[in-house]
Amino acid sequence: MIKQDTTTMYQEFLEARQENRKLLSILIDPDKFNTATILGFLKQIPQETTHIFVGGSTVVNGATEAVVAALKFQTQKPILLFPGDVSQITGKADGLLFLSLLSGNNPEYLIGQHIQAIPKLRGSGLAILSTGYVLIDGGNESAVARVTGTEPMSQQNIQAIVDTAKAGELLGMKLIYLEAGSGAKIPVSAKIITAVKNEINIPLIVGGGIRTEAQKQTAYKAGANMVVMGTQFEGRSTKV
Ligand code: 1GP
């Protein structure tokens, strides 16, 4: 497949926002994924899946690239890296969510890993989507909070979350990702999603703890342009 350039990849997000089309991304954590089950996995994910994200907070070196390479043989869906750190960046994917953890005050995840990534990104052909990543309390400790050493934002403090997302937009970020953390007990509330959506003029991604159709629809109705689901489909590819 010919790699999409940044403009084409981002255009899809912009159009979805303008036309109120819903995007669905299924997240694969390479540490929990068995590539031998890939065909069955792809058959069982929802038909309306538009994107596949690959990445995790802690992934063994090389595992992300192996999963991406295997996926590229079996699906035409765009594969976007969702990396926990620089080691997970591979030019075999179509694009990269270049995540800056705006909710935390850890410089390593605001700008540090990003600088280290540049030699890998040079000439990689990856579509790079600058993403303001906002970690919100999902009712249990998330791997993101643990690995980055940052505190999630309280779901009660809606204004602070809105202001954080807006700051990301004004810094030039192309997407905002509201994250309750993989396996969150409580997904990001509809109130928060709507408040952020009403403030920003860029596409909005929401994930963490969304397991049911009803939860997914709630997020869309509240204003998410893309919903990300991971844990719900992990059981379909158990590592042996
Ligand atoms: C985590 O938002 C994603 O980064 C998906 O979360 O695994 O809870 O679906 P779940």
PDB file of all heavy atoms in Angstrom, residues 9-30:
ATOM      1  N   MET A   9      -3.744  11.798   5.695  1.00  0.00           N
ATOM      2  CA  MET A   9      -4.092  11.143   6.962  1.00  0.00           C
ATOM      3  C   MET A   9      -4.875  12.107   7.861  1.00  0.00           C
ATOM      4  O   MET A   9      -5.894  11.743   8.442  1.00  0.00           O
ATOM      5  CB  MET A   9      -2.799  10.713   7.670  1.00  0.00           C
ATOM      6  CG  MET A   9      -3.010   9.914   8.916  1.00  0.00           C
ATOM      7  SD  MET A   9      -3.549   8.240   8.600  1.00  0.00           S
ATOM      8  CE  MET A   9      -1.994   7.418   8.258  1.00  0.00           C
ATOM      9  N   TYR A  10      -4.405  13.330   7.947  1.00  0.00           N
ATOM     10  CA  TYR A  10      -5.079  14.301   8.821  1.00  0.00           C
ATOM     11  C   TYR A  10      -6.411  14.739   8.226  1.00  0.00           C
ATOM     12  O   TYR A  10      -7.381  14.973   8.953  1.00  0.00           O
ATOM     13  CB  TYR A  10      -4.167  15.510   9.055  1.00  0.00           C
ATOM     14  CG  TYR A  10      -4.701  16.483  10.084  1.00  0.00           C
ATOM     15  CD1 TYR A  10      -5.176  16.019  11.315  1.00  0.00           C
ATOM     16  CD2 TYR A  10      -4.741  17.847   9.834  1.00  0.00           C
ATOM     17  CE1 TYR A  10      -5.676  16.896  12.259  1.00  0.00           C
ATOM     18  CE2 TYR A  10      -5.236  18.733  10.782  1.00  0.00           C
ATOM     19  CZ  TYR A  10      -5.702  18.248  11.988  1.00  0.00           C
ATOM     20  OH  TYR A  10      -6.196  19.109  12.929  1.00  0.00           O
ATOM     21  N   GLN A  11      -6.441  14.809   6.906  1.00  0.00           N
ATOM     22  CA  GLN A  11      -7.673  15.214   6.212  1.00  0.00           C
ATOM     23  C   GLN A  11      -8.852  14.336   6.638  1.00  0.00           C
ATOM     24  O   GLN A  11      -9.966  14.821   6.814  1.00  0.00           O
ATOM     25  CB  GLN A  11      -7.440  15.101   4.695  1.00  0.00           C
ATOM     26  CG  GLN A  11      -8.401  15.910   3.844  1.00  0.00           C
ATOM     27  CD  GLN A  11      -8.384  17.392   4.176  1.00  0.00           C
ATOM     28  OE1 GLN A  11      -7.338  17.933   4.498  1.00  0.00           O
ATOM     29  NE2 GLN A  11      -9.529  18.033   4.145  1.00  0.00           N
ATOM     30  N   GLU A  12      -8.577  13.055   6.815  1.00  0.00           N
ATOM     31  CA  GLU A  12      -9.643  12.125   7.207  1.00  0.00           C
ATOM     32  C   GLU A  12     -10.229  12.514   8.571  1.00  0.00           C
ATOM     33  O   GLU A  12     -11.434  12.440   8.787  1.00  0.00           O
ATOM     34  CB  GLU A  12      -9.059  10.721   7.257  1.00  0.00           C
ATOM     35  CG  GLU A  12     -10.091   9.656   6.972  1.00  0.00           C
ATOM     36  CD  GLU A  12      -9.520   8.264   7.052  1.00  0.00           C
ATOM     37  OE1 GLU A  12      -8.310   8.088   6.847  1.00  0.00           O
ATOM     38  OE2 GLU A  12     -10.323   7.353   7.332  1.00  0.00           O
ATOM     39  N   PHE A  13      -9.374  12.935   9.466  1.00  0.00           N
ATOM     40  CA  PHE A  13      -9.844  13.380  10.780  1.00  0.00           C
ATOM     41  C   PHE A  13     -10.653  14.672  10.649  1.00  0.00           C
ATOM     42  O   PHE A  13     -11.706  14.827  11.265  1.00  0.00           O
ATOM     43  CB  PHE A  13      -8.652  13.625  11.718  1.00  0.00           C
ATOM     44  CG  PHE A  13      -8.052  12.378  12.308  1.00  0.00           C
ATOM     45  CD1 PHE A  13      -7.031  11.698  11.675  1.00  0.00           C
ATOM     46  CD2 PHE A  13      -8.517  11.876  13.523  1.00  0.00           C
ATOM     47  CE1 PHE A  13      -6.477  10.547  12.226  1.00  0.00           C
ATOM     48  CE2 PHE A  13      -7.973  10.727  14.084  1.00  0.00           C
ATOM     49  CZ  PHE A  13      -6.948  10.063  13.424  1.00  0.00           C
ATOM     50  N   LEU A  14     -10.130  15.576   9.820  1.00  0.00           N
ATOM     51  CA  LEU A  14     -10.819  16.870   9.663  1.00  0.00           C
ATOM     52  C   LEU A  14     -12.195  16.683   9.037  1.00  0.00           C
ATOM     53  O   LEU A  14     -13.191  17.284   9.470  1.00  0.00           O
ATOM     54  CB  LEU A  14      -9.984  17.815   8.794  1.00  0.00           C
ATOM     55  CG  LEU A  14      -8.709  18.375   9.420  1.00  0.00           C
ATOM     56  CD1 LEU A  14      -7.956  19.215   8.402  1.00  0.00           C
ATOM     57  CD2 LEU A  14      -9.021  19.203  10.666  1.00  0.00           C
ATOM     58  N   GLU A  15     -12.242  15.823   8.020  1.00  0.00           N
ATOM     59  CA  GLU A  15     -13.534  15.584   7.347  1.00  0.00           C
ATOM     60  C   GLU A  15     -14.523  14.912   8.287  1.00  0.00           C
ATOM     61  O   GLU A  15     -15.714  15.231   8.284  1.00  0.00           O
ATOM     62  CB  GLU A  15     -13.321  14.732   6.093  1.00  0.00           C
ATOM     63  CG  GLU A  15     -12.767  15.565   4.946  1.00  0.00           C
ATOM     64  CD  GLU A  15     -12.340  14.732   3.751  1.00  0.00           C
ATOM     65  OE1 GLU A  15     -12.703  13.535   3.678  1.00  0.00           O
ATOM     66  OE2 GLU A  15     -11.644  15.287   2.893  1.00  0.00           O
ATOM     67  N   ALA A  16     -14.029  13.978   9.069  1.00  0.00           N
ATOM     68  CA  ALA A  16     -14.907  13.292  10.027  1.00  0.00           C
ATOM     69  C   ALA A  16     -15.526  14.326  10.969  1.00  0.00           C
ATOM     70  O   ALA A  16     -16.716  14.271  11.299  1.00  0.00           O
ATOM     71  CB  ALA A  16     -14.130  12.252  10.810  1.00  0.00           C
ATOM     72  N   ARG A  17     -14.710  15.281  11.371  1.00  0.00           N
ATOM     73  CA  ARG A  17     -15.197  16.317  12.285  1.00  0.00           C
ATOM     74  C   ARG A  17     -16.223  17.200  11.585  1.00  0.00           C
ATOM     75  O   ARG A  17     -17.295  17.480  12.138  1.00  0.00           O
ATOM     76  CB  ARG A  17     -14.011  17.144  12.790  1.00  0.00           C
ATOM     77  CG  ARG A  17     -14.382  18.209  13.799  1.00  0.00           C
ATOM     78  CD  ARG A  17     -13.157  18.917  14.338  1.00  0.00           C
ATOM     79  NE  ARG A  17     -13.559  19.937  15.273  1.00  0.00           N
ATOM     80  CZ  ARG A  17     -13.920  21.168  14.922  1.00  0.00           C
ATOM     81  NH1 ARG A  17     -13.910  21.511  13.645  1.00  0.00           N
ATOM     82  NH2 ARG A  17     -14.301  22.040  15.840  1.00  0.00           N
ATOM     83  N   GLN A  18     -15.897  17.605  10.359  1.00  0.00           N
ATOM     84  CA  GLN A  18     -16.804  18.500   9.628  1.00  0.00           C
ATOM     85  C   GLN A  18     -18.122  17.833   9.269  1.00  0.00           C
ATOM     86  O   GLN A  18     -19.183  18.435   9.332  1.00  0.00           O
ATOM     87  CB  GLN A  18     -16.132  18.993   8.341  1.00  0.00           C
ATOM     88  CG  GLN A  18     -15.228  20.199   8.578  1.00  0.00           C
ATOM     89  CD  GLN A  18     -14.082  20.277   7.577  1.00  0.00           C
ATOM     90  OE1 GLN A  18     -14.123  19.646   6.533  1.00  0.00           O
ATOM     91  NE2 GLN A  18     -13.063  21.038   7.898  1.00  0.00           N
ATOM     92  N   GLU A  19     -18.022  16.554   8.875  1.00  0.00           N
ATOM     93  CA  GLU A  19     -19.219  15.851   8.379  1.00  0.00           C
ATOM     94  C   GLU A  19     -19.884  15.016   9.457  1.00  0.00           C
ATOM     95  O   GLU A  19     -20.801  14.248   9.169  1.00  0.00           O
ATOM     96  CB  GLU A  19     -18.828  14.954   7.192  1.00  0.00           C
ATOM     97  CG  GLU A  19     -18.293  15.746   6.014  1.00  0.00           C
ATOM     98  CD  GLU A  19     -17.480  14.876   5.052  1.00  0.00           C
ATOM     99  OE1 GLU A  19     -17.531  13.638   5.171  1.00  0.00           O
ATOM    100  OE2 GLU A  19     -16.803  15.460   4.193  1.00  0.00           O
ATOM    101  N   ASN A  20     -19.380  15.119  10.664  1.00  0.00           N
ATOM    102  CA  ASN A  20     -19.934  14.359  11.779  1.00  0.00           C
ATOM    103  C   ASN A  20     -19.913  12.850  11.520  1.00  0.00           C
ATOM    104  O   ASN A  20     -20.847  12.137  11.852  1.00  0.00           O
ATOM    105  CB  ASN A  20     -21.362  14.836  12.077  1.00  0.00           C
ATOM    106  CG  ASN A  20     -21.736  14.546  13.509  1.00  0.00           C
ATOM    107  OD1 ASN A  20     -20.858  14.397  14.375  1.00  0.00           O
ATOM    108  ND2 ASN A  20     -23.041  14.413  13.767  1.00  0.00           N
ATOM    109  N   ARG A  21     -18.850  12.382  10.883  1.00  0.00           N
ATOM    110  CA  ARG A  21     -18.650  10.952  10.651  1.00  0.00           C
ATOM    111  C   ARG A  21     -17.848  10.400  11.821  1.00  0.00           C
ATOM    112  O   ARG A  21     -16.926  11.062  12.300  1.00  0.00           O
ATOM    113  CB  ARG A  21     -17.852  10.756   9.357  1.00  0.00           C
ATOM    114  CG  ARG A  21     -18.484   9.756   8.450  1.00  0.00           C
ATOM    115  CD  ARG A  21     -17.836   9.629   7.078  1.00  0.00           C
ATOM    116  NE  ARG A  21     -17.006  10.683   6.597  1.00  0.00           N
ATOM    117  CZ  ARG A  21     -15.656  10.628   6.563  1.00  0.00           C
ATOM    118  NH1 ARG A  21     -15.023   9.582   7.036  1.00  0.00           N
ATOM    119  NH2 ARG A  21     -14.953  11.635   6.063  1.00  0.00           N
ATOM    120  N   LYS A  22     -18.198   9.219  12.285  1.00  0.00           N
ATOM    121  CA  LYS A  22     -17.540   8.689  13.476  1.00  0.00           C
ATOM    122  C   LYS A  22     -16.382   7.771  13.112  1.00  0.00           C
ATOM    123  O   LYS A  22     -16.538   6.877  12.282  1.00  0.00           O
ATOM    124  CB  LYS A  22     -18.547   7.903  14.333  1.00  0.00           C
ATOM    125  CG  LYS A  22     -19.819   8.685  14.660  1.00  0.00           C
ATOM    126  CD  LYS A  22     -19.509  10.000  15.329  1.00  0.00           C
ATOM    127  CE  LYS A  22     -20.748  10.812  15.628  1.00  0.00           C
ATOM    128  NZ  LYS A  22     -20.421  12.215  15.934  1.00  0.00           N
ATOM    129  N   LEU A  23     -15.258   8.003  13.730  1.00  0.00           N
ATOM    130  CA  LEU A  23     -14.088   7.150  13.505  1.00  0.00           C
ATOM    131  C   LEU A  23     -13.942   6.198  14.696  1.00  0.00           C
ATOM    132  O   LEU A  23     -14.231   6.571  15.833  1.00  0.00           O
ATOM    133  CB  LEU A  23     -12.828   8.001  13.365  1.00  0.00           C
ATOM    134  CG  LEU A  23     -12.840   9.066  12.259  1.00  0.00           C
ATOM    135  CD1 LEU A  23     -11.574   9.928  12.329  1.00  0.00           C
ATOM    136  CD2 LEU A  23     -12.967   8.424  10.884  1.00  0.00           C
ATOM    137  N   LEU A  24     -13.497   4.985  14.398  1.00  0.00           N
ATOM    138  CA  LEU A  24     -13.266   4.002  15.465  1.00  0.00           C
ATOM    139  C   LEU A  24     -11.883   3.404  15.277  1.00  0.00           C
ATOM    140  O   LEU A  24     -11.569   2.872  14.201  1.00  0.00           O
ATOM    141  CB  LEU A  24     -14.323   2.890  15.402  1.00  0.00           C
ATOM    142  CG  LEU A  24     -14.108   1.732  16.383  1.00  0.00           C
ATOM    143  CD1 LEU A  24     -14.231   2.192  17.838  1.00  0.00           C
ATOM    144  CD2 LEU A  24     -15.092   0.592  16.109  1.00  0.00           C
ATOM    145  N   SER A  25     -11.079   3.487  16.314  1.00  0.00           N
ATOM    146  CA  SER A  25      -9.769   2.863  16.251  1.00  0.00           C
ATOM    147  C   SER A  25      -9.700   1.734  17.276  1.00  0.00           C
ATOM    148  O   SER A  25     -10.125   1.892  18.419  1.00  0.00           O
ATOM    149  CB  SER A  25      -8.666   3.879  16.536  1.00  0.00           C
ATOM    150  OG  SER A  25      -7.414   3.248  16.365  1.00  0.00           O
ATOM    151  N   ILE A  26      -9.147   0.612  16.832  1.00  0.00           N
ATOM    152  CA  ILE A  26      -8.902  -0.493  17.750  1.00  0.00           C
ATOM    153  C   ILE A  26      -7.420  -0.469  18.095  1.00  0.00           C
ATOM    154  O   ILE A  26      -6.563  -0.408  17.205  1.00  0.00           O
ATOM    155  CB  ILE A  26      -9.298  -1.852  17.106  1.00  0.00           C
ATOM    156  CG1 ILE A  26     -10.787  -1.834  16.707  1.00  0.00           C
ATOM    157  CG2 ILE A  26      -9.011  -3.006  18.066  1.00  0.00           C
ATOM    158  CD1 ILE A  26     -11.779  -1.573  17.817  1.00  0.00           C
ATOM    159  N   LEU A  27      -7.163  -0.468  19.404  1.00  0.00           N
ATOM    160  CA  LEU A  27      -5.781  -0.379  19.893  1.00  0.00           C
ATOM    161  C   LEU A  27      -5.221  -1.770  20.173  1.00  0.00           C
ATOM    162  O   LEU A  27      -5.846  -2.569  20.890  1.00  0.00           O
ATOM    163  CB  LEU A  27      -5.742   0.444  21.187  1.00  0.00           C
ATOM    164  CG  LEU A  27      -4.408   0.442  21.938  1.00  0.00           C
ATOM    165  CD1 LEU A  27      -3.314   1.129  21.131  1.00  0.00           C
ATOM    166  CD2 LEU A  27      -4.556   1.101  23.299  1.00  0.00           C
ATOM    167  N   ILE A  28      -4.064  -2.038  19.602  1.00  0.00           N
ATOM    168  CA  ILE A  28      -3.367  -3.298  19.876  1.00  0.00           C
ATOM    169  C   ILE A  28      -2.135  -2.983  20.717  1.00  0.00           C
ATOM    170  O   ILE A  28      -1.289  -2.179  20.329  1.00  0.00           O
ATOM    171  CB  ILE A  28      -2.925  -3.977  18.560  1.00  0.00           C
ATOM    172  CG1 ILE A  28      -4.161  -4.413  17.757  1.00  0.00           C
ATOM    173  CG2 ILE A  28      -2.023  -5.171  18.851  1.00  0.00           C
ATOM    174  CD1 ILE A  28      -3.826  -4.991  16.384  1.00  0.00           C
ATOM    175  N   ASP A  29      -2.062  -3.646  21.878  1.00  0.00           N
ATOM    176  CA  ASP A  29      -0.871  -3.549  22.709  1.00  0.00           C
ATOM    177  C   ASP A  29       0.037  -4.720  22.311  1.00  0.00           C
ATOM    178  O   ASP A  29      -0.317  -5.879  22.559  1.00  0.00           O
ATOM    179  CB  ASP A  29      -1.271  -3.634  24.196  1.00  0.00           C
ATOM    180  CG  ASP A  29      -0.067  -3.472  25.115  1.00  0.00           C
ATOM    181  OD1 ASP A  29       1.078  -3.719  24.656  1.00  0.00           O
ATOM    182  OD2 ASP A  29      -0.263  -3.116  26.287  1.00  0.00           O
ATOM    183  N   PRO A  30       1.180  -4.453  21.686  1.00  0.00           N
ATOM    184  CA  PRO A  30       2.016  -5.538  21.157  1.00  0.00           C
ATOM    185  C   PRO A  30       2.404  -6.565  22.214  1.00  0.00           C
ATOM    186  O   PRO A  30       2.610  -7.734  21.889  1.00  0.00           O
ATOM    187  CB  PRO A  30       3.262  -4.818  20.630  1.00  0.00           C
ATOM    188  CG  PRO A  30       2.814  -3.425  20.391  1.00  0.00           C
ATOM    189  CD  PRO A  30       1.758  -3.134  21.413  1.00  0.00           C
TER     190      PRO A  30
END
